[in-house]
Amino acid sequence: MITEQLLSGRYKFNKDFIPPRLLETQQESRILFLNEIHRKNKYIRIAECPSCGKGDFTKISEVERRCLPSDIVICDFCEMCFKSSILNFEANEYHYSKISYALRGKDLSSDAIEKLFAERIELYAYPRYSFISHFVEFDCDSDLIVEFGCNDGANLFPWHEKGFNVLGVELDPKMVEFGNRKNLNLNCGDFFNYNFAEKKPNLIILSHVLEHVSDINRVLDKLYELLQPDGYLFIEVPGIRSHALGDPMIYFDVEHNYYFDLNNLSKLLKKHAFNIVFADEFVRILCTPTQNNINLSYRYVPLSIDKIKANILKLFVDIITPQNRSLYDLLKEGECNSFRIRVLNKLQMMYFQHYYSSIGKSRERNGNA
Ligand SMILES: [Zn+2]
């Protein structure tokens, strides 16, 4: 049963309301979504919580940031947050091939793709590479690094540069062609079709992918099967307890079927027999199928200005983070723009920035990044 308890009046869907801040092309793709998917009711209803299997939810929103319909619920039993009606297979294909890029206001000219690729390498790919390498030492002579939903392949670039064997899998042929021009070994296809019979990946990267999938349990099962038994899975998703605090409406996205926090994603991973090595509320998680003893004492981060700042910020974050607050109440506070939540949001984001940066710099000093 679904109980309606929207975060506020603006979370009610109104098909006639046109968000003023959208570009003309975004408005057009929004109308395409309403006509071709919503009006034709191309949805699958989710009756059971993907995490605990129970069927009582609280509906917190009917819309997302571009005022498209998006029923978002929180499980009354386990606090899993997800969309209670997702696009069916046909609508999903249609959305990602005909609507998604324009809706997100993406420029697909060659120059724009090239520029974005360079930016993504510098701003995100190297920091992610340093972060993962901080916890696990991979061997560039033997280990295979795979990314699913790799887009242009930017995340794989640092690994490729360090001499690793890389493989990226992406549905968009245009991005695959682009990445292959950069020698990144990208394949066009669906990851469910892979089996890696000869050589299983030692690291699988899923960066801003898991929130988009239709069936999280099926995906986690498949990942477990694909990975080397002592391999690692790196997941990054926009955490609801970090990214949604400023304004939950801006955080909700029609393409996101799941809204993870540290708690609900950790539970799902454990349910699928993954052992967690590192996890935070950002959300970044590093986990492994192996149940052998993993050294859970995090690797030492050398002293730096970033480390000192991160430690001080963490102290404040821990002090002002409301204890035992339900996800609903936290989002409601974010929606009401409470002073405490605004401060928490700022400090938490600054903490993550300095913490990740302190790890990156330690790698640079060791000559590894
Ligand atoms: Zn549940």
Side-chain angles (χ1 to χ4, degrees), residues 296-309:
L296 288 176
S297 59
Y298 303 149
R299 279 191 164 200
Y300 177 70
V301 181
L303 193 65
S304 66
I305 300 287
D306 277 316
K307 184 177 172 175
I308 296 167
K309 284 185 181 170

Side-chain angles (χ1 to χ4, degrees), residues 220 235 265-274 285 287:
L220 292 178
I235 296 169
L265 186 51
S266 303
K267 263 195 219 161
L268 272 164
L269 287 164
K270 284 176 193 160
K271 177 175 143 187
H272 290 269
F274 282 99
I285 291 189
C287 59

Side-chain angles (χ1 to χ4, degrees), residues 48-57 74-80 82 267:
E48 286 177 1
C49 168
S51 183
C52 73
K54 298 215 164 45
D56 291 328
F57 318 134
I74 298 178
C75 170
D76 292 344
F77 186 76
C78 76
E79 287 212 315
M80 180 73 204
F82 56 98
K267 263 195 219 161

Side-chain angles (χ1 to χ4, degrees), residues 88 104 123 126 138-139 154 157 162 192 201 228 247 270 272 320 348 364:
N88 67 22
R104 288 187 285 148
L123 292 176
Y126 271 104
F138 290 96
D139 182 350
F157 191 81
K162 297 287 168 192
F192 278 108
Q228 189 81 261
D247 182 354
K270 284 176 193 160
H272 290 269
I320 62 168
Q348 199 170 224
E364 273 166 36

